Amino acid sequence: MQSAHSIQDYLDIVKQGIVKKFGGGKPKRVAIVGAGLAGLAAGYELKRAGHTPIILEAQQRVGGRVYTLRDPFTDGLYAEVGAMRIPRAHTLTMSYVEKFGLKTNDFTMDNLNAYHYMGGRKVRASEAAKDPSLLGFDVSEKEKGKTAGKMYEAALKPLLDLLERDGDKAWDEIIAKYDQYSTREFLELNGWSEGMIEMFGLLANQESVMNSSFLELFREDSGNYYTDMLELEGGTDRLPRAFLPELKENIRFGAKMIAMDQSPDDVTIHYQTHAGKFEEKGDYAILTIPFPVMRHVEVLKPFTRSKQRAIRQLHYDASAKILFQCKRRFWEEDDGIFGGGTMTDLPIRNLYYPDHGRETGRGVILASYTWSEDAQRWGSLKPDDRIIQALDDVAEIHPQITKEFEVGASWMWHDDEFAGGAFALFDPGQHTLLHDEIVKPEGRIHFAGEHASLYHAWIQGAFESGLRAAIAIHQSP
């Protein structure tokens, strides 16, 4: 079930509000669980349309998995442990960024000056692009001299041509044919050797998610998510915080949902604070919390079997970030790398160089960004040991780190009790099996969040699903 609304409908709402777009509705009291971007957008638009949103947030901040870390870093420095980049192709996200007048800068995704460090050898990305054999992957005779990136483009071409020809209608055919395949199976289907699959896995940061649904990766590539990106000046948390002036009276912080109930006429959310147990009644509710968290909430009037199954089975991926504050920007001064990232087969896997913070002379590098199994391995270490191990890895690529390192921090989304994972990521077949069930309301309870969209892991999915729920409630009797 695709959303009944187009992206254009949502863009109109951001500009002019629900009432102008869809007409008036009876004023309702709406309990919203979670002050991530789905809950904030839903609350904001419902309030503008004359409803009363009550947002219950378990933590003491807005933003959910948008989390800009300012501590333990020195003044003027920060790092993103959650969302760190926004594709310009995500027009709905961009419309809120523009609405609130947030300043943006380009986010450098790829940099030919950065390194590929594989099998103990360090080469510049530009050299590897010219001569892939420098990386030492055991590719087949017919693949020699080819990069994984170019081969992947060729493999996608028939699907992209289909989308070009038939537009959005092509998705039904693509989903029917490819939902059953993991990324690995798709590459095998295209006759790739194991060495070439390994090269793609390491250089495209896909190795740990190779067994996830191929459609997850294809949706990003076909939508140009990674080709033209930006970051918010001063931190991604500027976006959730922009909703606060309008919603501050409507949010209750430190309120953790422990149970929910509904009758034909209303919804009751039971929540806990340090002061005790309370309840909030609404005509409707929007649950924006991730499904792993929902598993620990008592549902007094049980959901349908198909919804319960979706909550149990939806796959969430792990994600880990390790961050280092450095006394000077040695990667720029010594190595000439401005932005982008280095790829390696060492446990850190991906190292990103920040574009922000130059005015301080220092910088916070993203020393390691990992997903899935790669991330869980970092999660099994004690926080201090993560820093020590990551320092060892980074030193193999940038020996200067030992001298320039000042302080480190790490964040494991799969160990966060309010997230239970970094983002929803379909296993093969889950789009067909689960997507409609994830999105469907249960009586007076609606669902939103990146998992309740097809923009998994992206802010756009949170916004789209939040607005979809807000419109549905506005139009309800």
Side-chain angles (χ1 to χ4, degrees), residues 33 255-260 269-273 276-278 294 296-300:
V33 183
K256 180 181 172 181
M257 171 170 67
I258 48 175
M260 71 186 91
I269 303 294
H270 298 272
Y271 65 94
Q272 177 125 30
T273 75
K277 290 182 178 166
F278 303 90
M294 198 92 79
H296 301 291
V297 175
E298 196 178 352
V299 185
L300 296 165

Short mmCIF file of all heavy atoms in Angstrom, two decimals, residues 33 255-260 269-273 276-278 294 296-300:
data_model
loop_
_atom_site.label_atom_id
_atom_site.label_comp_id
_atom_site.label_asym_id
_atom_site.label_seq_id
_atom_site.Cartn_x
_atom_site.Cartn_y
_atom_site.Cartn_z
N VAL A 33 2.96 9.72 20.55
CA VAL A 33 4.04 9.13 21.35
C VAL A 33 5.35 9.24 20.57
O VAL A 33 5.49 8.66 19.49
CB VAL A 33 3.74 7.66 21.70
CG1 VAL A 33 4.85 7.11 22.59
CG2 VAL A 33 2.40 7.55 22.42
N ALA A 255 8.37 11.25 29.73
CA ALA A 255 7.12 10.47 29.82
C ALA A 255 7.25 9.23 28.94
O ALA A 255 7.19 9.32 27.72
CB ALA A 255 5.94 11.32 29.37
N LYS A 256 7.46 8.10 29.56
CA LYS A 256 7.70 6.86 28.82
C LYS A 256 6.42 6.00 28.77
O LYS A 256 5.89 5.63 29.81
CB LYS A 256 8.82 6.09 29.54
CG LYS A 256 9.18 4.77 28.89
CD LYS A 256 10.29 4.08 29.69
CE LYS A 256 10.52 2.67 29.17
NZ LYS A 256 11.55 1.97 29.93
N MET A 257 5.96 5.73 27.56
CA MET A 257 4.75 4.91 27.41
C MET A 257 5.02 3.50 27.92
O MET A 257 6.01 2.88 27.57
CB MET A 257 4.33 4.85 25.93
CG MET A 257 3.23 3.84 25.66
SD MET A 257 2.51 3.95 24.01
CE MET A 257 3.88 3.44 22.97
N ILE A 258 4.08 3.00 28.76
CA ILE A 258 4.24 1.62 29.26
C ILE A 258 3.09 0.72 28.81
O ILE A 258 3.23 -0.49 28.77
CB ILE A 258 4.38 1.57 30.80
CG1 ILE A 258 3.29 2.41 31.47
CG2 ILE A 258 5.76 2.03 31.24
CD1 ILE A 258 3.27 2.33 33.00
N ALA A 259 1.95 1.34 28.45
CA ALA A 259 0.81 0.55 27.98
C ALA A 259 -0.12 1.45 27.18
O ALA A 259 -0.05 2.68 27.28
CB ALA A 259 0.06 -0.05 29.18
N MET A 260 -0.97 0.80 26.36
CA MET A 260 -1.96 1.58 25.61
C MET A 260 -3.26 0.79 25.55
O MET A 260 -3.27 -0.44 25.63
CB MET A 260 -1.45 1.90 24.22
CG MET A 260 -1.39 0.71 23.30
SD MET A 260 -0.64 1.07 21.73
CE MET A 260 1.08 0.70 22.06
N ILE A 269 -3.20 6.36 26.59
CA ILE A 269 -1.77 6.04 26.67
C ILE A 269 -1.37 6.09 28.15
O ILE A 269 -1.53 7.12 28.80
CB ILE A 269 -0.92 7.05 25.86
CG1 ILE A 269 -1.36 7.12 24.40
CG2 ILE A 269 0.58 6.69 25.98
CD1 ILE A 269 -1.14 5.88 23.57
N HIS A 270 -0.89 4.98 28.65
CA HIS A 270 -0.39 4.93 30.04
C HIS A 270 1.11 5.20 29.99
O HIS A 270 1.82 4.57 29.20
CB HIS A 270 -0.64 3.55 30.65
CG HIS A 270 -2.11 3.21 30.73
ND1 HIS A 270 -2.89 3.56 31.80
CD2 HIS A 270 -2.93 2.58 29.85
CE1 HIS A 270 -4.15 3.15 31.59
NE2 HIS A 270 -4.19 2.55 30.41
N TYR A 271 1.56 6.14 30.82
CA TYR A 271 3.00 6.44 30.78
C TYR A 271 3.55 6.64 32.18
O TYR A 271 2.82 6.86 33.14
CB TYR A 271 3.27 7.67 29.90
CG TYR A 271 2.70 8.97 30.40
CD1 TYR A 271 3.48 9.84 31.17
CD2 TYR A 271 1.40 9.36 30.08
CE1 TYR A 271 2.97 11.04 31.62
CE2 TYR A 271 0.88 10.58 30.52
CZ TYR A 271 1.68 11.42 31.29
OH TYR A 271 1.18 12.61 31.73
N GLN A 272 4.86 6.52 32.25
CA GLN A 272 5.56 6.61 33.53
C GLN A 272 6.52 7.80 33.50
O GLN A 272 7.19 8.03 32.49
CB GLN A 272 6.38 5.31 33.68
CG GLN A 272 7.21 5.28 34.94
CD GLN A 272 6.90 4.03 35.76
OE1 GLN A 272 6.55 2.99 35.22
NE2 GLN A 272 7.00 4.15 37.05
N THR A 273 6.57 8.53 34.59
CA THR A 273 7.62 9.54 34.77
C THR A 273 8.29 9.23 36.11
O THR A 273 7.86 8.31 36.81
CB THR A 273 7.04 10.98 34.85
OG1 THR A 273 6.43 11.15 36.13
CG2 THR A 273 6.01 11.24 33.77
N GLY A 276 5.78 9.09 38.92
CA GLY A 276 4.74 8.06 39.04
C GLY A 276 4.12 7.70 37.71
O GLY A 276 4.67 8.01 36.65
N LYS A 277 2.95 7.03 37.77
CA LYS A 277 2.27 6.57 36.55
C LYS A 277 1.07 7.47 36.26
O LYS A 277 0.32 7.84 37.16
CB LYS A 277 1.80 5.12 36.72
CG LYS A 277 2.96 4.15 36.75
CD LYS A 277 2.50 2.71 36.86
CE LYS A 277 3.73 1.79 36.84
NZ LYS A 277 3.42 0.44 37.26
N PHE A 278 0.91 7.80 34.98
CA PHE A 278 -0.18 8.69 34.56
C PHE A 278 -0.81 8.15 33.27
O PHE A 278 -0.30 7.20 32.68
CB PHE A 278 0.37 10.11 34.29
CG PHE A 278 1.08 10.71 35.46
CD1 PHE A 278 2.45 10.51 35.64
CD2 PHE A 278 0.39 11.46 36.40
CE1 PHE A 278 3.11 11.05 36.74
CE2 PHE A 278 1.05 12.01 37.50
CZ PHE A 278 2.41 11.81 37.67
N MET A 294 8.31 -0.89 20.73
CA MET A 294 6.90 -1.24 20.89
C MET A 294 6.73 -2.65 21.49
O MET A 294 5.74 -2.92 22.16
CB MET A 294 6.23 -1.21 19.52
CG MET A 294 4.74 -1.12 19.57
SD MET A 294 4.20 0.58 19.53
CE MET A 294 4.35 0.90 17.80
N HIS A 296 8.02 -3.85 23.94
CA HIS A 296 8.04 -3.81 25.41
C HIS A 296 6.89 -3.00 26.00
O HIS A 296 6.93 -2.65 27.17
CB HIS A 296 9.40 -3.26 25.89
CG HIS A 296 10.55 -4.08 25.41
ND1 HIS A 296 10.80 -5.36 25.86
CD2 HIS A 296 11.51 -3.83 24.47
CE1 HIS A 296 11.86 -5.84 25.23
NE2 HIS A 296 12.30 -4.93 24.39
N VAL A 297 5.92 -2.67 25.15
CA VAL A 297 4.77 -1.89 25.62
C VAL A 297 3.55 -2.80 25.65
O VAL A 297 3.31 -3.55 24.70
CB VAL A 297 4.53 -0.69 24.67
CG1 VAL A 297 3.25 0.05 25.07
CG2 VAL A 297 5.73 0.25 24.67
N GLU A 298 2.80 -2.74 26.74
CA GLU A 298 1.62 -3.59 26.86
C GLU A 298 0.48 -3.01 26.02
O GLU A 298 0.14 -1.83 26.16
CB GLU A 298 1.21 -3.66 28.33
CG GLU A 298 0.26 -4.79 28.63
CD GLU A 298 -0.11 -4.88 30.11
OE1 GLU A 298 0.49 -4.15 30.92
OE2 GLU A 298 -1.01 -5.67 30.42
N VAL A 299 -0.09 -3.84 25.14
CA VAL A 299 -1.22 -3.40 24.32
C VAL A 299 -2.47 -4.07 24.90
O VAL A 299 -2.70 -5.26 24.72
CB VAL A 299 -1.01 -3.79 22.84
CG1 VAL A 299 -2.14 -3.24 21.97
CG2 VAL A 299 0.35 -3.29 22.34
N LEU A 300 -3.25 -3.29 25.67
CA LEU A 300 -4.35 -3.88 26.45
C LEU A 300 -5.48 -4.39 25.55
O LEU A 300 -6.10 -5.40 25.85
CB LEU A 300 -4.87 -2.86 27.47
CG LEU A 300 -3.80 -2.48 28.52
CD1 LEU A 300 -4.19 -1.23 29.29
CD2 LEU A 300 -3.53 -3.63 29.49
#
